[in-house]
Amino acid sequence: MSGQELVKQQRGHKACLELTCDQSALLDQQASAAITIWNCLHAYWTHFPGRRPTLAQADQAIRQARTDFPFLAALPAQAAQAVLKTYRQAWENFFNPDHPAKRPTFKSKKNRPRLAVDVPQVRNMRIVRLSAKWGQLTLPMVGRVRFRWTRNLPGVGKNSPAGKVTGARLVKDAFGWSIVFRTETLVEPAAPHQGEPVGIDRGITVAVALSDGTMREHGPWLTDGEAEHLRRLEKKSARQRAARPSKTRPSGREQRTYDQIARLRAKAKRRAVDWQHQTTTELAGTFSVVVVEDLKVTNMVRSATGTVENPGVNVAQKAGLNRSIAGQAWGRTVTLLEYKTSDRGGHVVKVPARGTSQTCHQCGHRDPAARDRNRYACANPACGWVGHADTNAAINIENAVGMPVSGRGDLGAARSVKRQPPRAA
């Protein structure tokens, strides 16, 4: 120990659960009850006469609902209290002008909300490690359950790091139920990172382009066979949906088709997240400061359909662009970089995005026509720089660090970054 004051580090760790059919059905009932309690809270909260109800009044309403509707008793009482806290936090986020959260609404089955159950207290979970690959814990009203052991949990076992598990959340995706542990450890503050700063440009053709001239690319998330299988399943689901009478529920066969589509898409997302984790870990370990554009991704992927009076133009092309942007998950890349660079003594700086792809980094001349797909050719006769457009944009992003719009990380401990002179590619 160096004598420095330790700081708390909170992280999450996801592990797959091994459930029986009965245990999976119980968790499905608990998740459905949690959604129903959320909807009941929303109705009670929005139609309460006068001012908003207090937490005590909302808690009493939940207790009364669990008494009046026996199926809500499938959800443990602590998990029901967690729904109340989550709902209250959703309103606080909505009224926070700096938070992008939208107004809380009803959770409809038509929108297929994600099934989840909170486990706020861990003292009765009795987490133990069974072998090198398996662990075991106790879930309320479900019993003992095995889970995949892929990382040591703090405070569990002999060789585990110092700390504790503060809570957990059960989530369900296309592959079944998983558990997300909330962990807390005490670590020493990270020493200032000694690496060089770098600017990165997030794109579609090139996933991540760096200002040092290198790039981080990936192939398709699905193989050719998987992509063809997904295409056939989507066509099959369209035929089944067209043949089904309106306002009727999908048949078992149609639902199985939807489940197969969901599994393939979830597989693609897992591969994308894995690539992003590996790439951001490498960048955070190499560079001290990562400069990115402050992109408003939500505004960028808005539909171009328009209205009946003012219909949109190039709607199909814009929809394809929106799918490509969503597939790259630009926001998740920055989120991963923020906490990983902070853990290693660096930080992320966000700069304005205006003009970075249209300006020559050599002479500063700006011309929208200078970029032609992936090629940038400066229109200034005195310059004439030619190179990869994404590399040019990444250098402009790094050079714009003198006018950041926001930053996150240990700005005082990390080496300060000033505007860098234009570099040649």
Side-chain angles (χ1 to χ4, degrees), residues 63-369:
R63 295 175 184 271
Q64 186 63 37
R66 286 167 57 85
T67 302
D68 296 341
F69 304 101
F71 74 93
L72 295 181
L75 185 68
Q78 296 175 355
Q81 298 300 319
V83 175
L84 172 59
K85 293 180 181 179
T86 304
Y87 182 79
R88 179 66 178 268
Q89 186 63 44
W91 277 107
E92 293 181 1
N93 295 340
F94 170 70
F95 287 117
N96 184 0
D98 298 328
H99 202 283
K102 297 182 180 180
R103 183 185 182 91
T105 59
F106 283 100
K107 293 186 177 182
S108 171
K109 288 186 177 180
K110 183 182 296 184
N111 298 330
R112 303 186 70 178
R114 189 177 189 182
L115 299 182
V117 179
D118 274 304
V119 186
Q121 295 185 1
V122 298
R123 61 172 180 264
N124 297 326
M125 292 178 65
R126 294 183 295 164
I127 305 173
V128 295
R129 184 172 186 176
L130 300 178
S131 64
K133 295 184 178 181
W134 291 99
Q136 193 176 51
L137 54 83
T138 300
L139 295 179
M141 305 179 68
V142 176
R144 297 295 286 175
V145 175
R146 296 207 311 169
F147 66 93
R148 292 287 296 179
W149 190 281
T150 57
R151 182 183 302 174
N152 289 336
L153 297 174
V156 180
K158 297 181 180 180
N159 299 325
S160 62
K164 60 182 178 180
V165 178
T166 60
R169 182 176 176 85
L170 306 173
V171 294
K172 186 178 183 180
D173 58 13
F175 293 99
W177 283 93
S178 301
I179 184 169
V180 181
F181 295 100
R182 295 188 290 269
T183 64
E184 181 181 288
T185 55
L186 294 176
V187 298
E188 293 185 3
H193 201 295
Q194 301 302 319
E196 294 294 326
V198 69
I200 67 172
D201 177 68
R202 293 162 288 169
I204 297 175
T205 305
V206 177
V208 177
L210 277 60
S211 57
D212 61 2
T214 61
M215 299 179 183
R216 306 295 186 270
E217 301 180 78
H218 59 77
W221 302 129
L222 295 176
T223 64
D224 293 341
E226 292 170 339
E228 177 63 19
H229 188 202
L230 177 61
R231 187 187 69 85
R232 291 177 180 271
L233 287 173
E234 289 175 340
K235 293 181 66 175
K236 180 180 179 181
S237 67
R239 292 194 300 269
Q240 292 173 328
R241 187 166 53 251
R244 173 165 47 92
S246 61
K247 298 182 181 180
T248 58
R249 292 184 178 182
S251 63
R253 291 184 177 181
E254 184 178 353
Q255 189 60 50
R256 281 194 296 272
T257 304
Y258 293 147
D259 293 340
Q260 291 175 330
I261 294 174
R263 279 193 291 271
L264 281 173
R265 291 178 176 173
K267 181 182 293 186
K269 182 178 179 180
R270 285 187 174 186
R271 292 171 180 172
V273 173
D274 179 69
W275 180 87
Q276 285 184 309
H277 270 289
Q278 295 186 39
T279 303
T280 53
T281 299
E282 182 252 328
L283 294 176
T286 305
F287 302 102
S288 59
V289 178
V290 180
V291 189
V292 299
E293 293 175 297
D294 185 42
L295 298 176
K296 306 299 182 184
V297 181
T298 304
N299 297 338
M300 296 175 65
V301 296
R302 285 181 177 175
S303 175
T305 305
T307 60
V308 177
E309 295 78 10
N310 298 313
V313 295
N314 297 328
V315 177
Q317 293 87 334
K318 184 61 170 63
L321 177 62
N322 292 347
R323 286 193 296 269
S324 300
I325 294 175
Q328 294 294 343
W330 291 345
R332 185 167 59 216
T333 299
V334 175
T335 300
L336 297 177
L337 279 172
E338 284 179 334
Y339 82 84
K340 291 183 180 183
T341 53
S342 179
D343 290 348
R344 292 160 176 79
H347 62 278
V348 171
V349 176
K350 296 181 181 179
V351 299
R354 185 177 180 85
T356 55
S357 63
Q358 301 174 356
T359 305
C360 177
H361 74 276
Q362 284 277 44
C363 64
H365 179 73
R366 182 175 177 181
D367 184 7

